[in-house]
Amino acid sequence: MVYKKTLGDRIFDAIIYVLVAIILIVTLYPLFYVFSMAISNPVAAARGEVWLYPVGLDFTAVKKVLSDSQVLTYYGNTIWYTVVGTFCGVITTALCAYPLSRKEFLGRNFVTKFVMVTMFFNGGIIPTYIVVTRFLHLYNSRWAIVVVMLTTAWYVMITKSFFESLPDELIESARMDGASEYRIFGQLILPLSKPILAVLTLYMVVGHWNSYFDAMLYITDKSKQPLALYIRAVVIQNRLASAMSETVSLTAEEILSALQIKYAVIIVSVLPMLVIYPFISKNLEKGLMIGAVKG
């Protein structure tokens, strides 16, 4: 049977298409504009002649950013924070959520309510700073960023809810076969939890890649600072002298290209996420049906 759309259905579809088109334009235009400004002629960029497409290709600003030795250091630090922080965060979140999802865990309700309270109330910046610096002695340590951003109550709760959706019969069957809790968690629960693990990975990767506030508090050594602090110095504070290695005398073209550096920095920082996201998104779509009980 072929369903024939009514006039109302066609109007509704047209409205949806228009809204989606508007959202795409509003979302993609700023990124495309920044990209065009970064590779346009410095004079045209300074005059405001660039509004959509690049005007007179010029990669001076991009070359200045990529040739700066500090950028590679910041990049390496950000990659370290992202990889290590995401791995530790996903494992910690899963380890916290799994016991809370099991009905036989004594004190389950109390611990769950205790975790949920932290979603609305927390100690604040100053107590956290004191704990990290005085008690954990992690000031100017890479692990300060990893520990502070290890997990959140929201991540634990959504992971707990997913674990609770898994059939209890699978766990009981594994226990009857003599599997330990560690084996059940590692070889049964985690493989069936690829959808939620993919979601956690996506959130944590983006969070670590864009985070700068915690690094600003706990990391003063520039050799350990992430790329986000570099972007903050160039884009927000506009302190090019402290953020980049500049020569004493600059030509007029170099002065104009300095106006484009903030756009080039944004492109250089966003590009890895644009490349990685399609692969993560693909895994998210595939993971929706992984672990489903058939029949």
Side-chain angles (χ1 to χ4, degrees):
M1 181 180 296
V2 179
Y3 174 74
K4 185 177 181 181
K5 292 186 177 181
T6 63
L7 179 61
D9 294 335
R10 295 178 181 177
I11 295 176
F12 179 78
D13 292 342
I15 294 175
I16 295 299
Y17 290 144
V18 171
L19 291 177
V20 171
I22 293 174
I23 293 174
L24 287 176
I25 293 174
V26 172
T27 304
L28 296 179
Y29 176 74
L31 181 62
F32 196 80
Y33 173 79
V34 170
F35 180 79
S36 299
M37 285 289 293
I39 63 175
S40 295
N41 182 273
V43 177
R47 292 177 178 176
E49 299 177 0
V50 181
W51 63 276
L52 183 60
Y53 295 104
V55 178
L57 292 180
D58 191 306
F59 297 92
T60 303
V62 178
K63 290 179 180 179
K64 285 178 68 65
V65 172
L66 296 178
S67 62
D68 187 1
S69 60
Q70 293 184 10
V71 173
L72 298 179
T73 302
Y74 291 135
Y75 246 111
N77 294 335
T78 300
I79 293 174
W80 191 93
Y81 291 132
T82 302
V83 173
V84 176
T86 300
F87 176 79
C88 295
V90 171
I91 296 298
T92 302
T93 303
L95 290 174
C96 292
Y98 177 67
L100 298 179
S101 66
R102 307 274 36 98
K103 298 178 181 179
E104 59 272 17
F105 173 57
L106 296 178
R108 169 175 175 261
N109 294 332
F110 172 78
V111 177
T112 301
K113 293 178 181 179
F114 186 82
V115 173
M116 292 183 64
V117 168
T118 63
M119 297 176 61
F120 309 100
F121 305 97
N122 57 68
I125 296 177
I126 296 178
T128 304
Y129 181 85
I130 294 175
V131 171
V132 173
T133 57
R134 295 187 180 181
F135 292 93
L136 299 180
H137 304 287
L138 294 178
Y139 186 74
N140 249 341
S141 172
R142 297 178 184 271
W143 290 103
I145 309 301
V146 176
V147 171
V148 171
M149 301 182 61
L150 198 57
T151 188
T152 64
W154 170 247
Y155 292 162
V156 174
M157 289 296 103
I158 61 175
T159 308
K160 168 182 172 294
S161 298
F162 184 88
F163 287 160
E164 290 176 342
S165 67
L166 298 177
D168 293 334
E169 292 76 9
L170 294 176
I171 299 177
E172 294 298 331
S173 176
R175 287 174 179 169
M176 292 178 62
D177 292 337
S180 63
E181 291 295 335
Y182 296 103
R183 188 172 183 180
I184 293 174
F185 177 75
Q187 298 184 4
L188 181 62
I189 300 300
L190 290 184
L192 295 178
S193 304
K194 290 182 180 179
I196 191 61
L197 296 180
V199 171
L200 291 176
T201 299
L202 175 61
Y203 288 166
M204 292 185 180
V205 165
V206 175
H208 279 282
W209 190 269
N210 295 327
S211 176
Y212 75 92
F213 185 74
D214 292 327
M216 186 173 61
L217 289 178
Y218 305 112
I219 306 296
T220 58
D221 187 355
K222 289 188 176 182
S223 62
K224 300 178 182 179
Q225 291 179 347
L227 184 65
L229 280 183
Y230 176 88
I231 299 174
R232 179 179 180 274
V234 174
V235 179
I236 299 180
Q237 296 180 347
N238 201 24
R239 295 185 304 184
L240 300 180
S242 60
M244 300 189 63
S245 302
E246 295 184 343
T247 57
V248 176
S249 59
L250 297 176
T251 63
E253 184 177 357
E254 289 174 333
I255 294 176
L256 291 175
S257 66
L259 301 174
Q260 298 175 281
I261 289 178
K262 58 182 179 180
Y263 299 107
V265 169
I266 295 175
I267 292 299
V268 170
S269 63
V270 171
L271 190 60
M273 288 293 99
L274 295 178
V275 175
I276 294 175
Y277 181 78
F279 297 98
I280 300 180
S281 177
K282 184 178 180 180
N283 292 331
L284 285 174
E285 295 175 0
K286 287 185 176 181
L288 293 177
M289 296 304 297
I290 293 178
V293 180
K294 304 300 187 294

